[in-house]
Amino acid sequence: MDGGDDKRPVTADDRAPRSAVVVNPTKVTDLDEFRRTVNDALSAAGWPAPVWYETTAEDPGRGQTEEAVRDGAQVVFACGGDGTVMACVSGLVGTDAALAVLPQGTGNLLAANLGLSNDLAAGLEVAVERGMRRLDVGAVGDQYFAVMAGMGFDAQMLEDTSETTKARIGWPAYVVGAAKHLRDRPMRVTVAIDDKPPLRRRARSVLIANVGRLQGGVRLLTDAEPDDGWLDVAVLTPRTLRHWLAMGWALVRRRGSVPRMEVFRARRVEITSNRPQPRQLDGDLIEPGRSLKAEVRPESLWLCVPRPERAPDLAEDADAAAKRGEKLVEEARRE
């Protein structure tokens, strides 16, 4: 289901597109007010009213997204946390419908890579301006990720981060979750990249990335590009608190190499651990396991972005889009 053609689902020259909103109602404080704001803003931009779908515990968004596309939606808004966005990504891979992110959860990974926080106005403006790029995705079985998959410490951090703490202080809550596991013993892993001889390491985490920004805007992989046909594989091997501090300082400064981190490029990668490990896709936990196998699906997802040019950083122009979005929402409220 690779993409490959340069056809865009909608452009600024097209008539206003049909859209759908896939929302996780547990992530929205006032769903009626949220619905009014989105409907009014899209109406002010000349778009027809969107069709609304709510996620459920049984279906976090993939089925609703697939139904929306079958019913003619050209843009699907994903409103919720990482799990909602990942489910929508999986429902859109290989279609000509585009994904727009309206983050409502804490620390949404794809939103962070777009330069969006929980700014509803910015997310709406990015979609309304119809700046779109066709991105690669990573495939793990029948699930897909647009940002990053991982096994080990990163998923353990997510697992042990309190929802209450996230709601209270935002993404720094992940630091609290991480601190619980800095001294855990490493896992013995084999990393098989394409047809090369497998690597063996004592690692704390192995990340498979399409783009490189982490929670809080920290850029882990500066060379990761979202549409280059490759996945970047980062093997993290800190063993002491001093190693962690050195790695963190290097990531914040972003000068030169990062100690205790090796980076490889792959079209296919399989990570195998000596014992079951927590695993995550785009910041959403999946079942623990001893292996994680991913392969790239080149240019198979249309994504609404602040600026459509081919740049490694998807967050370009995000601040300006946020300001324009505030005006859009204000105009909608006056009408």
Side-chain angles (χ1 to χ4, degrees):
M1 293 197 11
D2 293 356
D5 63 270
D6 292 327
K7 178 185 175 183
R8 291 188 177 185
V10 287
T11 71
D13 297 325
D14 295 331
R15 62 176 182 166
R18 297 173 64 184
S19 64
V21 182
V22 177
V23 59
N24 181 344
T26 69
K27 297 291 186 179
V28 181
T29 304
D30 187 336
L31 186 56
D32 290 337
E33 175 62 24
F34 181 79
R35 185 190 295 257
R36 279 194 297 272
T37 300
V38 172
N39 286 349
D40 290 349
L42 293 180
S43 177
W47 286 34
V51 179
W52 287 75
Y53 301 84
E54 292 187 14
T55 67
T56 64
E58 295 74 26
D59 190 339
R62 182 169 184 166
Q64 295 88 336
T65 300
E66 291 172 345
E67 182 180 347
V69 173
R70 285 195 301 269
D71 290 344
Q74 296 165 282
V75 176
V76 175
F77 291 92
C79 309
D82 287 312
T84 306
V85 174
M86 187 186 73
C88 292
V89 166
S90 294
L92 289 170
V93 166
T95 76
D96 276 332
L99 173 69
V101 180
L102 299 180
Q104 294 297 305
T106 301
N108 185 288
L109 265 181
L110 185 54
N113 279 274
L114 290 168
L116 306 175
S117 58
N118 284 357
D119 189 339
L120 175 60
L124 287 167
E125 184 65 21
V126 167
V128 164
E129 292 182 355
R130 304 187 216 180
M132 298 185 187
R133 285 179 65 174
R134 193 184 275 281
L135 268 60
D136 305 336
V137 298
V140 175
D142 63 351
Q143 294 179 288
Y144 299 90
F145 63 92
V147 180
M148 196 174 296
M151 186 167 79
F153 172 81
D154 59 302
Q156 188 73 63
M157 173 191 70
L158 294 171
E159 188 173 54
D160 283 353
T161 299
S162 162
E163 291 292 331
T164 302
T165 307
K166 285 197 294 182
R168 188 171 67 248
I169 66 175
W171 69 263
Y174 292 103
V175 177
V176 179
K180 300 176 183 178
H181 297 283
L182 293 178
R183 298 183 184 276
D184 287 359
R185 63 191 177 103
M187 55 184 175
R188 295 182 182 274
V189 293
T190 300
V191 183
I193 295 175
D194 296 329
D195 297 321
K196 299 175 183 176
L199 308 167
R200 290 177 174 81
R201 298 288 188 272
R202 289 172 56 85
R204 293 301 314 280
S205 183
V206 182
L207 297 167
I208 306 168
N210 187 40
V211 291
R213 198 183 297 275
L214 299 174
Q215 311 288 7
V218 175
R219 197 162 175 81
L220 176 70
L221 297 163
T222 56
D223 295 330
E225 298 191 20
D227 48 10
D228 60 0
W230 293 92
L231 297 170
D232 288 61
V233 182
V235 182
L236 309 183
T237 58
R239 295 188 182 181
T240 66
L241 183 57
R242 180 177 294 179
H243 291 163
W244 281 113
L245 292 173
M247 179 185 295
W249 179 242
L251 289 173
V252 171
R253 295 180 71 220
R254 258 355 266 197
R255 295 178 185 173
S257 62
V258 177
R260 298 285 170 171
M261 182 173 83
E262 296 177 275
V263 180
F264 308 91
R265 309 194 82 200
R267 301 194 192 277
R268 303 183 314 277
V269 58
E270 183 170 8
I271 309 157
T272 305
S273 171
N274 63 322
R275 62 185 189 275
Q277 296 292 332
R279 304 180 301 166
Q280 60 87 13
L281 303 181
D282 276 356
D284 191 55
L285 289 166
I286 61 174
E287 285 293 319
R290 289 189 57 195
S291 67
L292 182 64
K293 184 177 181 179
E295 58 183 311
V296 70
R297 293 282 190 269
E299 298 187 348
S300 55
L301 174 72
W302 281 110
L303 179 66
C304 297
V305 297
R307 184 184 294 180
E309 285 82 358
R310 294 176 68 91
D313 192 348
L314 294 174
E316 287 193 25
D317 201 40
D319 291 340
K323 293 177 181 178
R324 296 191 295 271
E326 290 172 4
K327 294 180 180 178
L328 172 67
V329 171
E330 288 174 3
E331 290 174 2
R333 287 171 176 164
R334 286 198 296 266
E335 292 183 357

